[in-house]
Amino acid sequence: MYVAEGAPLTPGELDQIDAYWRAANYLSVGQIYLMGNPLLREPLTAEHVKPRLLGHWGTTPGLNFLYAHLNRIIAARGQDLLYVTGPGHGGPGLVANTWLEGSYSEVYPSISRDEAGMSRLFTQFSFPGGVPSHVSPETPGSIHEGGELGYSLAHAYGAVFDNPDLVAACVIGDGEAETGPLAASWHSNKFLDPVGDGAVLPILHLNGYKIANPTVLARIGDHELTALLTGYGYRPYLVDGSDPATMHQLLAATLDEVFDRIAEIQRDARSGAVTDRPQWPMIVFRTPKGWTGPKVVDGLPVEGTWRAHQVPLSAARDDEAHLAQLQEWMRSYRPGELFDETGAPRAEVVDWLPTGEARMGANPHTNGGRSPRALDLPDFRTYAVKVAEPGHSTAEPTRVLGGWLRDVMTANEPYHNFRLVGPDETESNRLGAVLETTGKAWQGEVAEVDLNLSRHGRVMEILSEHTCQGWLEGYLLTGRHGLFSCYEAFVHIVDSMVNQHAKWLKVTRKLAWRKSIPSLNYLLTSHVWRQDHNGFSHQDPGFIDHVVNKKAEVVRVYLPPDANTLLSVADHCLRSMDYVNVIVAGKQPEPNWLDIDAAALHCARGLGIWDWASNDAGDPDVVMACAGDVPTLEILAAVDLLRTHLPDLRVRVVNVVDLMRLQPDTEHPHGLPDAEFDAIFTTDRPVIFAYHGYPTLIHRLTYRRHGHHNLHVRGYKEEGTTTTPFDMLVINDMDRFHLVIDVIDRVPGLARKAAVVRQKMVDLRTEHHEYIRRTGEDLPIVRDWTWRAEQ
Ligand SMILES: Cc1ncc(C[n+]2csc(CCOP(=O)(O)OP(=O)(O)O)c2C)c(N)n1
Ligand SMILES: [Mg+2]
């Protein structure tokens, strides 16, 4: 590893930066422990100590040290810089720093920079009605909560894509570095364009420990660690030690060198002088866990060990010795030198800090972006497929969407604010048209056989769903737009990440000072019903269930039944803000049901009666409902059979695009009022519902509805394999024949009258079973079926 030389700080500067660091440490400890006596004007007593001691000290002094020195870089160079805190449990540190720089009190005026404000600052931390323990959305300057470890580096890269002047300093916990998502995201440097993107400065916080264990990276020796980081394509600089004065000089010298290096890389790339992939600098910051905290507690070593992780003096309220030690610890920062009589930070402690938007707590990138801009969206209607008759032509919906996305890409190229991410599936998902206007980002070596790779591409493909998700989140959190296209089954890999993002959105909605950010849009294609060639491993529609657990005001789920409805839904989603939108759509040739005007109207309604497919004359015997492209086809095929074999049966067809319409309006902003729901679905007729995913979800969403007891849902019931497309439906009992059987079984009085039809349906299922085993393909009556307009 490289070690920077020199001692760039004058004695005065060293004192100043050290005082700032001590102030940040003092304020961090105060937040963890105190609810009174913030300036230690009187001897500390039990009443000053919070009853529940919550927080994480161990990582905090390191975070504060880095924040202090990054302030110096911003002040000296005017560098546009944001700070990503991988160990987000170091929340008190970020709150302390933003309070010192003033950005905290601007957002929360009651937490003023005086004694009363400091008292509130301390009390509110991890306290009922106060602020959470992590670098939560409530923390100014944060785009990364860091509670769930692993996503810091991907977020940092996402933030700097298309922000050429921005540097994201990203602190990575050495424990965090053991996670899969973090391990994969080192490779982001193969996708970062030094011309059009900014830079990330990864800082591995090698404090040696996690909660109760050493970290892997701290115990492999410097040789292996250097090889690992170099192998990831970085140039590691070691900042190692525990003597504050030495460490101030060393980190200052190192930061000078790495920021020079970043500037040089960018200059070389932007002038066209160098086109090779640069070896970006990074820092290995090896300092004791719990640095400057209690060295020994109850006879056991704490500083520099895993014992420093949370609250080192856990009995400060009840144990005299702990209380005395806490007071001694806080006094060791010499608060009298740091804060004046009013409790404000002394001028010399903070007068060298960056000001205004240059402060990391006020960087506009961290709050909706420096220059947020809505997307210019070409009129989706002009991309429509022609539909003269419902069901008479076919299209590959995602391929049609690809044409529109290509032009979205082109229209917004001047603003550098739109990216498509995915794990190696853009072409497979038939969105390849976008590659007519942009390339796939790639800074690695290029072979002759490669196609569409480009150093400046805005399609981002890496075979890590975690990294895709992290990049996109970072990009959105800094005010730009994007779409994540993914195989439906494998998007589950990011279940937990979408949880965290949805939580972020829920909390930010309540924070008036937080600006809106563009929605997180998923296009899930290659879905459960059309993964028959790949088989069971590729079949899983459960992401919808997962997302629907999140707060209603945040999540939206769309199941467009054909190409034109997909266009309309995608247009809607790319215009929206602050949501998680999930679109599930097929890529295989499928019937076109609606012309573009009908499609737009249907999507605006969210669900509706398809009159042209119904013969109920306003009074149905049965409602045939569907949500999803394959279920829609199957319902219509079942309706065709019903109309042929049971022509007197009055059938109403209802299609659902916006799944959230099914919930009552008391539960979801898109929910249909009961009166409307009752009118469409009836309260007393059987509803046979073919649904794209697991049937239980439809029951969950509709259980309060009056007609719920009449609702019979077919969907995926975990029967999957490599088989024919229609067999997938048969093995899950959602095929047209079974749907007809369901109708016969559910409509009162029909069972006896339609016994022969029922038997025929059972026989057709048997015939199907034998036929596919003999021929390897579906029955011609299934393969060649089309909707008959004349019925
Ligand atoms: C994904 C995930 N798994 C487990 C945890 C529980 N956890 C919280 S902090 C921590 C240790 C973190 O160690 P490190 O990244 O080294 O941070 P630091 O030493 O700086 O506190 C763990 C395991 C978590 N927050 N996230
Ligand atoms: Mg650690």
Side-chain angles (χ1 to χ4, degrees), residues 124-358:
Q124 66 162 6
F125 176 77
S126 287
F127 207 78
V131 297
S133 59
H134 284 60
V135 190
S136 60
E138 287 89 343
T139 314
S142 175
I143 57 164
H144 177 85
E145 204 255 6
E148 188 167 284
L149 299 167
Y151 317 135
S152 59
L153 195 53
H155 280 167
Y157 274 98
V160 305
F161 290 145
D162 292 317
N163 271 329
D165 300 326
L166 180 65
V167 173
C170 177
V171 186
I172 300 157
D174 50 354
E176 182 189 16
E178 293 171 16
T179 65
L182 198 291
S185 52
W186 290 112
H187 285 306
S188 304
N189 57 3
K190 293 25 170 232
F191 300 85
L192 181 96
D193 173 14
V195 177
D197 300 331
V200 171
L201 174 61
I203 304 173
L204 179 65
H205 194 185
L206 198 69
N207 59 17
Y209 295 94
K210 306 183 286 252
I211 299 176
N213 280 290
T215 61
V216 171
L217 296 188
R219 301 293 177 91
I220 58 175
D222 281 6
H223 176 71
E224 265 186 42
L225 182 60
T226 309
L228 180 75
L229 299 172
T230 312
Y232 276 129
Y234 296 89
R235 180 183 172 94
Y237 285 80
L238 182 64
V239 176
D240 179 18
S242 60
D243 171 57
T246 316
M247 287 297 281
H248 282 305
Q249 292 291 12
L250 180 55
L251 183 59
T254 307
L255 285 175
D256 282 346
E257 196 165 326
V258 301
F259 276 89
D260 284 348
R261 178 86 196 109
I262 288 170
E264 187 186 330
I265 289 171
Q266 292 178 335
R267 234 184 355 259
D268 287 349
R270 291 171 194 183
S271 69
V274 177
T275 53
D276 290 345
R277 176 164 59 90
Q279 193 192 26
W280 293 96
M282 65 160 293
I283 293 175
V284 175
F285 184 62
R286 185 152 64 198
T287 52
K289 190 152 182 166
W291 197 13
T292 72
K295 294 202 172 355
V296 176
V297 178
D298 299 332
L300 295 169
V302 173
E303 188 196 30
T305 80
W306 49 270
R307 287 198 189 88
H309 182 71
Q310 283 186 355
V311 179
L313 298 161
S314 53
R317 196 162 140 118
D318 307 314
D319 179 316
E320 284 291 318
H322 278 209
L323 186 67
Q325 214 177 336
L326 172 61
Q327 178 167 284
E328 184 195 343
W329 174 15
M330 293 193 73
R331 290 232 157 103
S332 74
Y333 298 121
R334 307 194 296 280
E337 295 175 17
L338 309 175
F339 307 102
D340 66 18
E341 270 311 297
T342 70
R346 288 189 187 280
E348 60 273 24
V349 177
V350 291
D351 64 2
W352 57 280
L353 296 177
T355 55
E357 292 187 347

Side-chain angles (χ1 to χ4, degrees), residues 393-614:
S393 58
T394 62
E396 296 157 287
T398 55
R399 197 181 294 285
V400 174
L401 182 72
W404 181 72
L405 285 175
R406 173 197 56 220
D407 295 346
V408 173
M409 198 66 95
T410 311
N412 295 282
E413 177 58 37
Y415 315 110
H416 306 293
N417 64 346
F418 182 63
R419 295 218 180 201
L420 193 62
V421 303
D424 186 31
E425 291 161 9
T426 303
E427 280 114 327
S428 163
N429 291 338
R430 306 197 182 165
L431 301 173
V434 293
L435 300 171
E436 293 163 23
T437 186
T438 187
K440 293 184 279 187
W442 187 256
Q443 307 293 324
E445 294 169 0
V446 179
E448 235 172 73
V449 66
D450 297 334
L451 282 181
N452 298 317
L453 301 182
S454 154
R455 284 208 301 280
H456 314 304
R458 17 195 72 258
V459 173
M460 312 282 301
E461 299 203 74
I462 183 172
L463 212 175
S464 161
E465 283 78 3
H466 290 122
T467 309
C468 290
Q469 171 87 17
W471 284 347
L472 181 56
E473 287 179 0
Y475 200 65
L476 302 173
L477 286 159
T478 46
R480 287 79 58 72
H481 308 258
L483 178 71
F484 184 176
S485 99
C486 194
Y487 283 12
E488 185 186 35
F490 302 142
V491 76
H492 267 305
I493 290 168
V494 301
D495 276 4
S496 209
M497 292 182 80
V498 69
N499 275 348
Q500 299 301 332
H501 190 75
K503 289 177 201 215
W504 183 278
L505 292 174
K506 171 184 182 284
V507 175
T508 50
R509 274 166 182 268
K510 304 256 154 51
L511 299 173
W513 62 272
R514 278 268 180 201
K515 305 216 172 92
S516 284
I517 58 166
S519 298
L520 169 54
N521 299 307
Y522 292 97
L523 174 66
L524 306 185
T525 182
S526 306
H527 63 55
V528 55
W529 301 109
R530 291 293 151 82
Q531 279 287 4
D532 36 78
H533 56 301
N534 279 317
F536 201 27
S537 60
H538 288 52
Q539 292 158 342
D540 193 311
F543 188 68
I544 302 175
D545 303 63
H546 176 72
V547 164
V548 168
N549 289 333
K550 299 294 116 193
K551 208 65 194 169
E553 60 257 36
V554 171
V555 298
R556 307 284 184 263
V557 179
Y558 300 98
L559 294 151
D562 67 0
N564 285 342
T565 46
L566 174 59
L567 282 171
S568 170
V569 163
D571 176 79
H572 178 76
C573 291
L574 286 187
R575 286 176 199 282
S576 74
M577 304 289 280
D578 296 326
Y579 297 142
V580 175
N581 294 311
V582 180
I583 309 171
V584 187
K587 66 180 184 183
Q588 305 289 351
E590 298 175 350
N592 302 313
W593 303 113
L594 303 181
D595 69 30
I596 195 65
D597 291 331
L601 187 60
H602 185 52
C603 292
R605 290 182 186 133
L607 65 78
I609 298 170
W610 279 3
D611 233 1
W612 51 267
S614 308

Side-chain angles (χ1 to χ4, degrees), residues 679-747:
I680 291 171
F681 287 95
T682 79
T683 53
D684 56 354
R685 300 301 148 103
V687 179
I688 307 300
F689 198 130
Y691 168 55
H692 172 86
Y694 292 102
T696 47
L697 179 61
I698 301 301
H699 288 295
R700 243 169 87 192
L701 297 174
T702 57
Y703 82 98
R704 286 168 191 255
R705 298 294 193 178
H706 298 130
H708 182 238
H709 55 287
N710 290 319
L711 191 63
H712 307 285
V713 187
R714 293 287 169 194
Y716 181 68
K717 47 186 188 185
E718 208 61 14
E719 289 296 338
T721 184
T722 309
T723 185
T724 67
F726 188 66
D727 197 42
M728 274 300 293
L729 294 158
V730 173
I731 60 182
N732 286 285
D733 293 337
M734 199 174 70
D735 58 282
R736 58 201 66 180
F737 308 131
H738 207 293
L739 293 170
V740 169
I741 292 170
D742 285 336
V743 171
I744 293 169
D745 290 351
R746 302 292 180 187
V747 172

